[in-house]
């Protein structure tokens, strides 16, 4: 079974503040501008919705209002996807071609490549951890979520630049090099947007 890592550049603090904000204008904008996307998601999860999962819009409303999160625990994934939708709305999608799809321990392999280049301030695998959703959003298996703050992005980029200054060029598999350079691209995008960080979702 394959997975996908979706990555967004955004103002993490501002996006987190949407959770529990009660912003009805935001909800209406989503319903008006993304109605077909919401309907497609409902079609995809139709059997789960029939068994008690919230619809995409119901989950989004719960997230924006900070609850209630009334769905049975096994359907809490809808709330995670609702937060992902908020990140997609407020952020910029970053090139994930090296990470979609991926199998097995690929994220950890890319982390090994980063560490070989002495980049330790960020971890790709941490974008797929279970504890990255803002409170009080519940989670269940997928999507998993993680964040890199603006400061972490800057630190990682400086580590990469220091590696280049040192002439440190360890041998890496070509596909790992490509993925690492994608990560460097994300870091440069964050560097160019003061205060912005990276949020990733594994699903």
């Amino acid at each position: 079974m394959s997975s996908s890592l979706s990555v967004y550049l955004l103002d993490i603090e501002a996006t987190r503040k949407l959770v529990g904000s009660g912003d009805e204008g935001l909800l209406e904008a989503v319903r008006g501008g993304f109605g077909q996307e919401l309907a497609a998601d409902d079609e995809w999860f139709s059997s789960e919705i029939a068994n008690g999962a919230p619809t995409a819009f119901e989950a989004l409303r719960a997230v924006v209002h900070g609850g209630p999160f009334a769905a049975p625990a096994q359907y809490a994934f809808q709330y995670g996807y609702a937060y992902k939708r908020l990140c997609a709305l407020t952020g910029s999608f970053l090139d994930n071609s090296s990470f979609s799809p991926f199998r097995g321990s690929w994220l950890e392999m890319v982390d090994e490549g980063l560490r070989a280049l002495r980049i330790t301030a960020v971890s790709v695998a941490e974008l797929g951890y279970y504890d990255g959703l803002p409170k009080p959003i519940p989670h269940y298996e997928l999507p998993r979520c993680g964040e890199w703050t603006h400061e972490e992005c800057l630190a990682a980029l400086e580590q990469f630049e220091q590696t280049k200054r040192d002439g440190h060029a360890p041998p890496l598999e070509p596909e790992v090099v490509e993925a690492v350079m994608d990560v460097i691209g994300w870091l440069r995008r964050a560097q160019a947007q003061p205060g912005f960080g990276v949020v990733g979702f594994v699903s």
Side-chain angles (χ1 to χ4, degrees), residues 138-172:
H139 68 272
Y140 183 81
E141 294 188 356
L142 298 176
R144 303 192 299 272
C145 176
E147 301 174 347
W148 298 344
T149 66
H150 184 72
E151 292 73 22
E152 288 170 334
C153 291
L154 294 183
L157 194 55
E158 173 55 29
Q159 289 173 334
F160 175 67
E161 297 298 338
Q162 185 62 53
T163 291
K164 291 198 300 181
R165 289 192 291 267
D166 293 342
H168 179 65
L172 299 173

Side-chain angles (χ1 to χ4, degrees), residues 7-19:
V7 190
Y8 301 91
L9 176 72
L10 46 72
D11 184 328
I12 295 175
E13 183 178 354
T15 305
R16 280 178 164 262
K17 285 181 178 178
L18 295 175
V19 179

Side-chain angles (χ1 to χ4, degrees), residues 109-195:
M109 290 175 62
V110 176
D111 274 352
E112 290 176 8
L114 291 170
R115 288 193 294 271
L117 291 166
R118 303 171 181 165
I119 300 171
T120 59
V122 297
S123 160
V124 179
E126 287 181 1
L127 297 178
Y129 283 5
Y130 283 98
D131 58 355
L133 292 172
K135 296 184 183 304
I137 302 174
H139 68 272
Y140 183 81
E141 294 188 356
L142 298 176
R144 303 192 299 272
C145 176
E147 301 174 347
W148 298 344
T149 66
H150 184 72
E151 292 73 22
E152 288 170 334
C153 291
L154 294 183
L157 194 55
E158 173 55 29
Q159 289 173 334
F160 175 67
E161 297 298 338
Q162 185 62 53
T163 291
K164 291 198 300 181
R165 289 192 291 267
D166 293 342
H168 179 65
L172 299 173
E173 295 295 328
E175 61 271 20
V176 173
V177 172
E178 184 175 355
V180 166
M181 294 315 297
D182 281 353
V183 170
I184 299 302
W186 304 344
L187 299 175
R188 293 199 189 284
R189 291 282 302 275
Q191 180 188 43
Q193 292 276 358

